[in-house]
Amino acid sequence: MTSKVWSNYNETSEIEPEVYIIVSKKYATLKELDIDYSVSDLYDILEIIDIENDIESAAHKDAEQESKMNKR
C-alpha cells in the first residue's frame, strides 16, 4: 500500500512514514496513536487514506474524460 509512495524516500527522521501520513492528514494525533489506537487501527486508517486517494484520482480522471468529451 505505502511502498509505492515511499520507494524513493530517504528517511532522516525517527518517525515512521505511516505515522507521518496519518498525523499530517489529521486523521489522528501522535497522542491518539500512542494511547487510543492499536497497530491494526493504524493500518485501517492507512487503508482509508489509500481508498480516498484512489477515489479522488478516479474522480479527477472522470472529470478529464468528461471535459474531453465536451470539447468534441
Side-chain angles (χ1 to χ4, degrees), residues 21-54:
I21 290 172
I22 291 170
V23 172
S24 69
K25 293 188 176 279
K26 300 187 186 330
Y27 284 87
T29 64
L30 285 173
K31 184 176 180 178
E32 289 171 331
L33 290 175
D34 189 39
I35 296 171
D36 299 330
Y37 296 115
S38 67
V39 172
S40 178
D41 292 333
L42 179 134
Y43 286 109
D44 287 344
I45 294 169
L46 289 171
E47 187 170 354
I48 289 166
I49 293 168
D50 195 39
I51 291 168
E52 284 182 343
N53 289 339
D54 288 347

Side-chain angles (χ1 to χ4, degrees), residues 1-3 9 11 15 18 24 27 30 32 36-39 41 44 51-52 55-56 64 66-68:
M1 174 174 52
T2 58
S3 61
Y9 176 68
E11 188 171 345
I15 294 177
E18 294 84 0
S24 69
Y27 284 87
L30 285 173
E32 289 171 331
D36 299 330
Y37 296 115
S38 67
V39 172
D41 292 333
D44 287 344
I51 291 168
E52 284 182 343
I55 291 170
E56 192 175 296
E64 285 179 350
E66 187 174 321
S67 176
K68 288 178 185 177

